[in-house]
Amino acid sequence: MGQTTAEKIFASHLVDEPFSGTKVLKLDVVMCHEITTPIAIADLMARGKDRVFDTSKIKAVIDHVTPSKDTKTATQAKMLRDWARRHNIKDFFDIGANGVCHALFPEKGFIRPGYTVIMGDSHTCTHGAFGAFAAGVGTTDLEVGILKGVCAFREPKTIRFNLNGTLPKGVYAKDAILHVIGLIGVNGATDRVMEFRGPVVEAMTMESRMTLCNMAIEAGGTSGICMPDKVTVEYLWPFIKDEYASKEEALAAFIKWCSDEDAVYDQVYNIDLSSLEPTVTFGYKPDQVKTVTEIAGEPVDQVYIGSCTNGRLEDLRIAAGILKGKKIAATVRGIMSPATPHIYQEALKEGLIDIFMDAGFCVTNPTCGACLGMSNGVLAEGEVCASTTNRNFMGRMGKGGMVHLMSPATSAATAIEGKIADPRKYL
């Protein structure tokens, strides 16, 4: 009987099975940021275990409140900074070099097919786009990962999502994943791996695949996974060209991690996206979705473009294509945050930053701050934000604020009109 990608990764990384069904896996990458890691650092120090298992496999960044906004956030940053220096962690990204973790670390080539990846951050599932098993974990698991390089999991079953057809004009990966979550609900993939397959996924860039996998957690998924292929090889080639004689050799190594044709799935969904419309959330759960046609005209106070979901160069290009030569509504404040310094630089070279600023957007440094209501775009009570982020929970971007999740294209159109708008009319 064949295996899924997740089953192959679990089998190849298994260290121990102390209890039936509980599998201790060897870790390839342990990622850290300044919100959740300082708690783990403090506990390890209190226990006299201030050590790291392998400095080359730990990646750390200050990305949520950057630069620090107050003494508390500065203290969190200092704890991570001091720890990284104390242990000579080479891949530590401080102010100026830092970016949104789930955009920065793939951009640096840290994620490969077949890897096991953990972080004290729920959207770690993003990295499954490379054919890896990547999961957000709690503080105790993060501590063990830092100290011993292992993590215990109950092996998740896999749900396969065949995304068929082709995405219509004006419809993107964000619309696709919102549609999927709307179909299965926020608990539809609980304790499951969401494996994304089909012609729609095969046609996607790595950036779009990361958008898909990023929101697996919003359906309860442990991880999202895409099959590694030529697109994966092309993205990683600058980092792996010395490891493989050719791209064909790299592809042959990568596709070994693909699910077997006779693999057994917990469920299989066949979803035709050929007639999908731009999709937007309403209410306070990611599975509360409507087409843009159904919700168009709802007023907003703020438009935010950025985050680990949609702050990559591809996203900025899409939004800028709609905004070029136009002004945002006088009733709206627009905020755009490129996800990494490299993305910021490339956006500058391409003239995208000028387009955003000419339209009336405030362009900020790379940060996660607005997404979880910590800085650089917090909402006042009663305010509404059209956002390319991944969560629309009550008060997510500020106490008493409401968030409509949507694609960069829909966000740009909404900024122009000051109310939720169909981007297709601007394409």
Side-chain angles (χ1 to χ4, degrees):
M1 186 169 63
Q3 293 179 302
T4 64
T5 297
E7 288 169 339
K8 290 182 179 184
I9 294 172
F10 268 65
S12 65
H13 288 73
L14 185 64
V15 175
D16 191 15
E17 190 169 355
F19 314 104
S20 178
T22 298
K23 307 207 173 185
V24 179
L25 306 184
K26 178 181 66 176
L27 297 173
D28 295 299
V29 181
V30 176
M31 304 190 298
C32 305
H33 62 53
E34 90 285 6
I35 298 300
T36 56
T37 310
I39 303 167
I41 293 170
D43 195 56
L44 286 169
M45 291 176 69
R47 295 171 184 272
K49 297 182 183 296
D50 183 25
R51 303 187 297 274
V52 299
F53 81 104
D54 186 335
T55 57
S56 69
K57 293 184 177 181
I58 292 180
K59 317 298 177 184
V61 64
I62 295 170
D63 67 348
H64 277 66
V65 185
T66 169
S68 301
K69 64 175 183 175
D70 53 26
T71 304
K72 182 179 178 180
T73 55
T75 300
Q76 287 177 297
K78 185 178 188 302
M79 286 182 70
L80 188 69
R81 185 180 298 119
D82 291 348
W83 173 76
R85 290 172 178 169
R86 189 162 66 244
H87 295 293
N88 297 310
I89 294 170
K90 175 174 69 73
D91 295 318
F92 168 60
F93 301 91
D94 207 337
I95 310 299
N98 59 343
V100 175
C101 56
H102 305 308
L104 181 71
F105 293 153
E107 182 184 275
K108 297 292 183 181
F110 295 153
I111 313 299
R112 310 286 171 83
Y115 268 19
T116 49
V117 185
I118 67 166
M119 187 178 202
D121 187 291
S122 56
H123 292 104
T124 307
C125 51
T126 306
H127 307 282
F130 291 83
F133 176 76
V137 298
T139 303
T140 302
D141 285 330
L142 181 62
E143 282 187 53
V144 174
I146 289 169
L147 184 65
K148 296 291 186 180
V150 297
C151 190
F153 295 95
R154 294 192 68 82
E155 186 167 356
K157 295 179 180 179
T158 298
I159 302 176
R160 177 168 170 164
F161 295 85
N162 296 319
L163 305 186
N164 301 318
T166 56
L167 292 181
K169 189 174 183 179
V171 176
Y172 304 91
K174 182 63 160 288
D175 302 296
I177 189 59
L178 287 174
H179 179 68
V180 169
I181 296 167
L183 284 176
I184 69 171
V186 291
N187 298 314
T190 299
D191 296 330
R192 300 290 187 269
V193 167
M194 297 178 72
E195 184 179 292
F196 299 105
R197 305 287 292 270
V200 168
V201 182
E202 291 165 11
M204 283 182 175
T205 62
M206 283 309 305
E207 288 85 350
S208 290
R209 294 177 189 183
M210 282 188 264
T211 295
L212 270 187
C213 292
N214 175 269
M215 292 191 66
I217 186 66
E218 312 310 335
T222 302
S223 186
I225 285 182
C226 297
M227 298 298 98
D229 58 10
K230 290 181 180 179
V231 176
T232 320
V233 172
E234 287 293 338
Y235 186 96
L236 289 174
W237 187 245
F239 310 102
I240 63 174
K241 59 186 178 182
D242 295 330
E243 300 173 29
Y244 299 96
S246 65
K247 292 178 181 178
E248 290 71 26
E249 183 180 301
L251 179 61
F254 286 178
I255 61 175
K256 292 175 183 176
W257 296 105
C258 292
S259 294
D260 298 324
E261 285 306 311
D262 57 343
V264 177
Y265 293 92
D266 190 52
Q267 288 177 277
V268 177
Y269 287 88
N270 290 293
I271 305 170
D272 190 342
L273 298 179
S274 297
S275 58
L276 183 65
E277 289 190 54
T279 304
V280 179
T281 63
F282 66 96
Y284 298 100
K285 295 198 302 175
D287 62 356
Q288 293 179 298
V289 298
K290 292 183 178 181
T291 65
V292 73
T293 304
E294 294 174 299
I295 199 171
E298 289 288 320
V300 303
D301 302 289
Q302 176 174 295
V303 173
Y304 182 77
I305 297 175
S307 85
C308 61
T309 317
N310 285 124
R312 298 177 182 85
L313 191 60
E314 174 180 276
D315 303 308
L316 305 191
R317 286 170 176 159
I318 290 167
I322 289 173
L323 290 166
K324 188 173 183 179
K326 300 178 181 66
K327 295 285 186 182
I328 66 174
T331 55
V332 166
R333 56 186 184 275
I335 300 170
M336 190 278 278
S337 175
T340 71
H342 175 70
I343 292 168
Y344 202 131
Q345 288 176 315
E346 291 302 306
L348 275 170
K349 290 176 187 175
E350 293 184 16
L352 306 182
I353 302 298
D354 283 342
I355 291 172
F356 279 100
M357 295 186 73
D358 289 345
F361 268 75
C362 165
V363 178
T364 82
N365 60 289
T367 175
C368 299
C371 178
L372 70 167
M374 294 190 75
S375 64
N376 289 47
V378 180
L379 299 176
E381 191 163 353
E383 287 192 319
V384 177
C385 182
S387 181
T388 66
T389 55
N390 43 41
R391 289 209 167 132
N392 60 332
F393 299 165
M394 170 74 80
R396 168 71 175 180
M397 293 184 72
K399 184 178 179 181
M402 180 176 181
V403 182
H404 291 289
L405 305 178
M406 59 187 70
S407 74
T410 308
S411 297
T414 298
I416 293 167
E417 298 191 18
K419 55 191 177 184
I420 295 175
D422 193 329
R424 293 172 295 185
K425 69 177 81 170
Y426 296 98
L427 297 175

